[in-house]
Amino acid sequence: MMLDAALLKGGKRVSYGARAISDGGLQSLPKLTFPGGVLVGDSAGFLNVPRIKGTHTAMKSGMMAAEAAFAAVQAGRAHDELTAYPEAFEASWVKKELSIVRNVVPLVEKFGEIVGAGLANATMWLESWSIRMPFTMKHHANHESLWRKDQVKPIEYPKPDGVLTFDRLSSVFLSNTNHEEDQPVHLTLRDPNVPVEYDLPMFDEPAQRYCPAGVYEIVGQAEGDPKFIINAQNCVHCKTCDIKDPTQNINWVVPEGGGGPNYPNM
């Protein structure tokens, strides 16, 4: 933190945003095609996690999909499912690159940051020399990893100092996020009773902490009448709630009219 403070000294907070990273890698890729469409880039999960790079793989996946679509139209198969796209992926350098790093995240999660990172580096080095590991480790769903509130001790964070650390709401202001107020709320609940009746007693309703924009709140708890509030206007479209909600009760849907954050400095 002292090194970070020295690097950031004299800096100015100019913008704010958040994004959940799709870090499942090769073994978490979904079916890439469906009738009338395809999944490319980060929506499919073409991210090289240890290098935190995905622009090159996203671009290549888009190129492969475009080539498959062009060939289908030229052949008069405009309404077919583009099976040539996943076939091209299987033979591409994208598949090879993701295969080399496929076990990195699972190894770190299973064996920790020291031993797991060492094993991950060893497997990446061997696979980069075409010495393939005879195993592919599996992932678990992210929402299954939360600990119950009785298993953890609350962390007391210092108040934001306005110099190096900042409160969420003033940061959200800098994201220039906006949603038309008369549109349907794009953060929906499959069961509106779950947040208070299950998530609150079991997990102390984690949405009020993992959301980087202060969208979710529990109010009235001190008075014995807790209510789950959704401030959808604040949403910066990071998709964390859709991924992390322990009961998968929160469903993020596309808002109307292109609403959301607007990053003028990017």
Side-chain angles (χ1 to χ4, degrees):
M1 181 61 187
M2 292 180 65
L3 177 60
D4 294 339
L7 292 172
L8 295 173
K9 184 178 180 180
K12 180 182 179 182
R13 178 182 52 155
V14 296
S15 190
Y16 179 78
R19 179 69 168 86
I21 295 179
S22 303
D23 66 356
L26 184 68
Q27 56 269 57
S28 293
L29 292 180
K31 187 173 183 289
L32 298 176
T33 63
F34 53 92
V38 297
L39 295 175
V40 299
D42 194 51
S43 64
F46 290 114
L47 174 71
N48 186 325
V49 179
R51 292 178 173 82
I52 322 179
K53 294 182 182 297
T55 302
H56 62 311
T57 52
M59 292 174 65
K60 181 60 176 177
S61 68
M63 292 164 65
M64 292 187 291
E67 290 165 355
F70 181 80
V73 172
Q74 288 289 93
R77 297 182 287 105
H79 301 290
D80 289 357
E81 193 165 333
L82 298 179
T83 55
Y85 165 43
E87 290 171 359
F89 165 70
E90 290 294 326
S92 71
W93 57 261
V94 178
K95 170 72 178 292
K96 181 180 179 180
E97 179 173 326
L98 296 182
S99 180
I100 289 173
V101 300
R102 70 189 185 280
N103 288 320
V104 170
V105 172
L107 282 169
V108 173
E109 288 183 345
K110 184 171 183 178
F111 296 106
E113 294 183 358
I114 298 177
V115 175
L119 291 172
N121 284 328
T123 60
M124 281 194 297
W125 183 82
L126 290 170
E127 298 237 13
S128 67
W129 286 92
S130 299
I131 304 174
R132 183 173 174 82
M133 296 294 100
F135 60 90
T136 296
M137 300 178 69
K138 295 182 179 180
H139 293 287
H140 62 269
N142 193 280
H143 70 273
E144 297 175 354
S145 65
L146 270 72
W147 292 349
R148 301 188 312 269
K149 70 175 187 180
D150 63 324
Q151 296 176 305
V152 296
K153 181 180 179 181
I155 300 174
E156 295 295 333
Y157 293 102
K159 290 184 178 181
D161 60 14
V163 178
L164 293 175
T165 58
F166 305 90
D167 65 281
R168 283 185 288 186
L169 293 184
S170 69
S171 295
V172 170
F173 175 78
L174 292 178
S175 72
N176 293 292
T177 191
N178 183 64
H179 301 86
E180 294 294 334
E181 294 184 1
D182 59 352
Q183 70 174 277
V185 174
H186 70 282
L187 299 165
T188 62
L189 300 177
R190 292 184 171 91
D191 184 343
N193 298 313
V194 165
V196 170
E197 294 182 1
Y198 180 79
D199 288 347
L200 185 60
M202 184 68 71
F203 300 101
D204 198 26
E205 184 44 69
Q208 59 184 324
R209 283 181 296 281
Y210 60 59
C211 175
V215 168
Y216 303 101
E217 293 181 276
I218 294 288
V219 300
Q221 191 169 5
E223 295 76 22
D225 184 25
K227 290 183 175 60
F228 187 63
I229 305 298
I230 301 177
N231 304 300
Q233 178 74 6
N234 288 0
C235 181
V236 294
H237 297 189
C238 72
K239 299 296 293 291
T240 302
C241 56
D242 202 336
I243 298 168
K244 195 73 175 176
D245 184 61
T247 54
Q248 293 294 275
N249 188 49
I250 299 175
N251 186 35
W252 190 100
V253 298
V254 179
E256 289 182 1
N262 177 27
Y263 306 120
N265 300 301
M266 299 180 68

